[in-house]
Amino acid sequence: MSSSRHPVALRLERALGLREAVSGPAKLLAIVMFLPLIDGIFPALILAGGIDSVAGILQVGLLVFGGSAVLAVILAEMDDAPKEQMKVVLLVAAGLIPLAALEATLAPTIASVIDLAIFERFAALVIVAIAAKTASARIGEYLPSPAVIVGLGFVASVDPSGFEVVVLPDPALVGRAVAAAGVGVAFALVVALASPWLRQNLDIDSFRFGSAVALGVLPLALLGVVFEQAPLAVLIVAGVLAFDPADGIGGPAPDGAAADGGTDEERNGSDRGQAPEREREPWL
């Protein structure tokens, strides 16, 4: 089983048989980051107006392209040096960003054949389903896949009478789509760069639940029930609450203390047959 224990990462790992692959973690990261483009989540958000503002771009980038699944894969699955991890992220970005731009280019044509008011509700339902799958693997087993929900939303909202092939893409829309994908890539790069420190100071399960809550708030923001920046605020709070620094790790040893955190007296006591203090449980 994946040491990340992230429901989304675990499901993909089992489905694609990546556990035994030599380059499994790199492939898993690519699948996790490409998933919003593959299963229709990102196009649905584009059509629902999810990236029409700076806050929307940040939220989609951090919660959809980045988020706890990307963090879990990098911290729990990739054990290379940060520099090597960043190379993998950049390699993924080389395909991710152009594909995000392509889907944004096609979005106006798709919008011409659907009723956006109806489709927006299905887009919100997709995000709720993803949030539930992120929070609990057991709940996720009973929910339809995002692709199924997006497909049903398209069928329910289709209106071919207004079909129009948009030859010239909307540069502003494409730019916002690229920016959202870029935010996700930037998030992954920061996690890779800081991975040694984050492994010791971040509770990944707490961040996962906080990220799920932020995802659950995103549909409410899309529908105007809460203020637009609410998901971003929830994610920031989740990150703060998940911060769990390990005492003494990475810092200088106090006077009279050994490099492993024990004092001279403790080491001597251990040498005399006394039981040494139980070592800290590893993060993974």
Side-chain angles (χ1 to χ4, degrees):
M1 179 179 289
S2 166
S3 55
S4 71
R5 297 178 295 170
H6 191 286
V8 174
L10 282 172
R11 187 174 71 254
L12 291 172
E13 186 182 49
R14 295 190 187 106
L16 299 173
L18 296 175
R19 183 184 175 191
E20 302 300 331
V22 175
S23 56
K27 290 182 179 179
L28 184 58
L29 178 65
I31 294 297
V32 166
M33 296 191 72
F34 270 87
L35 192 60
L37 302 174
I38 297 171
D39 60 12
I41 300 170
F42 186 57
L45 285 170
I46 292 176
L47 296 173
I51 59 170
D52 287 350
S53 65
V54 174
I57 291 171
L58 290 174
Q59 289 166 171
V60 171
L62 292 173
L63 293 171
V64 177
F65 286 111
S68 58
V70 169
L71 183 139
V73 171
I74 293 176
L75 295 187
E77 303 290 346
M78 302 176 70
D79 54 5
D80 297 326
K83 185 177 180 180
E84 296 302 318
Q85 294 176 8
M86 293 175 72
K87 289 180 179 178
V88 173
V89 173
L90 291 175
L91 184 62
V92 173
L96 182 76
I97 292 177
L99 186 54
L102 176 61
E103 293 193 352
T105 300
L106 298 175
T109 299
I110 299 174
S112 69
V113 298
I114 62 174
D115 185 333
L116 289 177
I118 297 175
F119 191 81
E120 284 177 359
R121 289 164 173 77
F122 280 89
L125 188 59
V126 168
I127 303 302
V128 171
I130 297 173
K133 289 175 182 286
T134 299
S136 172
R138 183 175 297 276
I139 293 176
E141 293 176 357
Y142 299 100
L143 296 176
S145 68
V148 171
I149 299 175
V150 171
L152 291 174
F154 182 81
V155 172
S157 60
V158 66
D159 181 14
S161 62
F163 176 73
E164 179 184 1
V165 177
V166 180
V167 179
L168 296 177
D170 182 351
L173 181 61
V174 173
R176 293 195 298 270
V178 169
V183 169
V185 171
F187 173 83
L189 286 173
V190 170
V191 172
L193 179 63
S195 56
W197 182 83
L198 289 174
R199 288 189 182 99
Q200 296 177 342
N201 295 281
L202 187 73
D203 186 337
I204 191 171
D205 286 326
S206 294
F207 184 79
R208 171 168 62 87
F209 283 108
S211 179
V213 173
L215 272 171
V217 175
L218 182 57
L220 301 179
L222 290 176
L223 297 175
V225 177
V226 298
F227 65 95
E228 185 183 11
Q229 298 81 10
L232 188 59
V234 172
L235 184 64
I236 292 173
V237 172
V240 173
L241 294 179
F243 181 68
D244 184 20
D247 295 335
I249 294 180
D255 294 340
D260 61 359
T263 62
D264 295 337
E265 290 78 9
E266 288 173 344
R267 294 201 314 277
N268 293 336
S270 177
D271 293 339
R272 289 195 298 269
Q274 297 177 4
E277 182 181 359
R278 186 169 180 248
E279 295 182 356
R280 181 185 299 275
E281 291 292 335
W283 182 83
L284 298 179

